[in-house]
Amino acid sequence: MTTLLTLISALLWWVLYSSIGALFIAIIAWSVLRWIERCPVVFNRTYLACLVWGLISLLIVVGVAMHEGHTKPPYAPLLSSPLLRYGLAADMVVGVFVLWRLIPRIDAHRIRPSSACLAVAVVMALGFGIATSLAA
């Protein structure tokens, strides 16, 4: 019974922290998409797409960290890991696909894949900049 409660608690915290992070990511992605699409995009769908992307991202990064054995600070060796680089490249592909499939413009057309690529690139650049400054 204790392991079931621990698992449920971990899942709840995973979704809670991912939803908080997805809000900041959605604000950045929504701003980029409004600028690049030159048409308003739906914010709640941007938030949903960023939440799905964030949940998958957390699984990828935690999986790589557990595989590499870098689950405790310092995290600088994890950031230089080739496996993490491949994981982040896969994460970017997932992010582009999720944003492209889930985010409509206000005129009910889907955003362009190139717009999703730019939004993912901006979010990943800011995220990697924050991660490298905190890991050092």
Side-chain angles (χ1 to χ4, degrees):
M1 186 64 173
T2 306
T3 56
L4 178 65
L5 291 175
T6 304
L7 180 66
I8 291 171
S9 174
L11 289 174
L12 286 172
W13 283 107
W14 173 51
V15 172
L16 179 68
Y17 283 130
S18 293
S19 65
I20 293 168
L23 180 63
F24 297 113
I25 293 170
I27 291 171
I28 295 167
W30 182 72
S31 302
V32 169
L33 289 172
R34 277 186 61 95
W35 171 66
I36 199 73
E37 285 287 323
R38 291 186 174 84
C39 179
V41 293
V42 181
F43 181 77
N44 61 350
R45 294 294 294 270
T46 306
Y47 173 73
L48 174 67
C50 290
L51 177 61
V52 170
W53 179 32
L55 290 170
I56 295 169
S57 297
L58 218 57
L59 284 177
I60 291 172
V61 172
V62 168
V64 169
M66 289 175 64
H67 179 72
E68 294 276 328
H70 297 294
T71 56
K72 296 184 180 174
Y75 296 113
L78 179 64
L79 293 176
S80 62
S81 164
L83 188 59
L84 182 70
R85 291 181 186 160
Y86 293 130
L88 290 176
D91 180 45
M92 290 172 67
V93 170
V94 167
V96 167
F97 181 75
V98 168
L99 264 62
W100 173 62
R101 292 296 294 172
L102 293 180
I103 301 175
R105 295 187 321 194
I106 204 75
D107 61 357
H109 288 95
R110 196 177 281 153
I111 63 170
R112 295 185 306 263
S114 59
S115 301
C117 285
L118 183 64
V120 167
V122 168
V123 168
M124 291 299 278
L126 290 173
F128 201 73
I130 291 169
T132 54
S133 67
L134 290 177

